[in-house]
Amino acid sequence: MIDFAEHNSQSTQNSLRLQQFVDFYNALSASNLADLSRLYHQDVVFVDPVHQIKGLQGLQSYFEHAYERLNSCHFTPVQQAGTAEQGFISWRMRLSHPAINKGELFDVEGCSELRWHQDGRIIYHRDYYDLTDMVYRHIPLLGWLTAKVKQKMAQD
């Protein structure tokens, strides 16, 4: 038999954790990267289409580099689901970086898979997004080429 009170409590806790995750990232900047230890466990594993990082120190170094020149970055949650141990959240990221898209704002859609340690901090974080959408389409020749390849694949 399903205990709906327990299910609703877990659902509320998961929603709260995922909202805190989004809020944390929307407040993150080069000046407050030390706060990563409030969100992430010391032994965190972070994976995205470009990196696989083990440990909080490596993650902090990654973000130091990533936020060094970032003009702006904002996440809007789209959908979410999860349990007491893990959560999934799809998002739309709007960002501006001087090395991408001539510094103009652009959007990237993606999803994060999160697993929590017993202490409530994130022990595993994996981001899924289309690297072509984020970077390659903004490089003149590569953008044109990847668009043509996608077009060709859609026809076959």
Side-chain angles (χ1 to χ4, degrees), residues 10 21 25 36-37 53 61 64 66 81 88 106 110 132-133 150:
Q10 286 179 354
F21 172 76
Y25 269 88
L36 285 168
S37 63
I53 300 165
S61 295
E64 285 170 3
F88 298 88
F106 66 98
T132 298
D133 219 21
K150 281 184 175 182

Side-chain angles (χ1 to χ4, degrees), residues 31-102:
S31 63
N32 64 0
L33 291 173
D35 291 344
L36 285 168
S37 63
R38 290 187 307 125
L39 185 66
Y40 289 102
H41 186 272
Q42 184 70 28
D43 299 324
V44 66
V45 173
F46 178 91
V47 181
D48 71 10
V50 181
H51 305 89
Q52 181 163 346
I53 300 165
K54 293 182 181 177
L56 184 60
Q57 186 60 44
L59 186 61
Q60 184 145 355
S61 295
Y62 166 70
F63 279 115
E64 285 170 3
H65 178 73
Y67 277 80
E68 191 174 51
R69 296 179 50 212
L70 187 68
N71 294 334
S72 67
C73 185
H74 181 80
F75 290 86
T76 302
V78 177
Q79 290 187 328
Q80 63 187 42
T83 66
E85 296 84 25
Q86 64 184 6
F88 298 88
I89 185 165
S90 61
W91 39 259
R92 183 170 301 109
M93 176 176 56
R94 175 160 265 221
L95 72 145
S96 169
H97 190 286
I100 305 171
N101 197 34
K102 300 177 186 171

Side-chain angles (χ1 to χ4, degrees), residues 126-146:
R126 182 165 188 169
D127 282 342
Y128 299 91
Y129 57 86
D130 184 347
L131 192 59
T132 298
D133 219 21
M134 183 173 188
V135 178
Y136 301 145
R137 73 179 171 125
H138 302 288
I139 300 171
L141 184 56
L142 275 178
W144 176 84
L145 185 59
T146 56

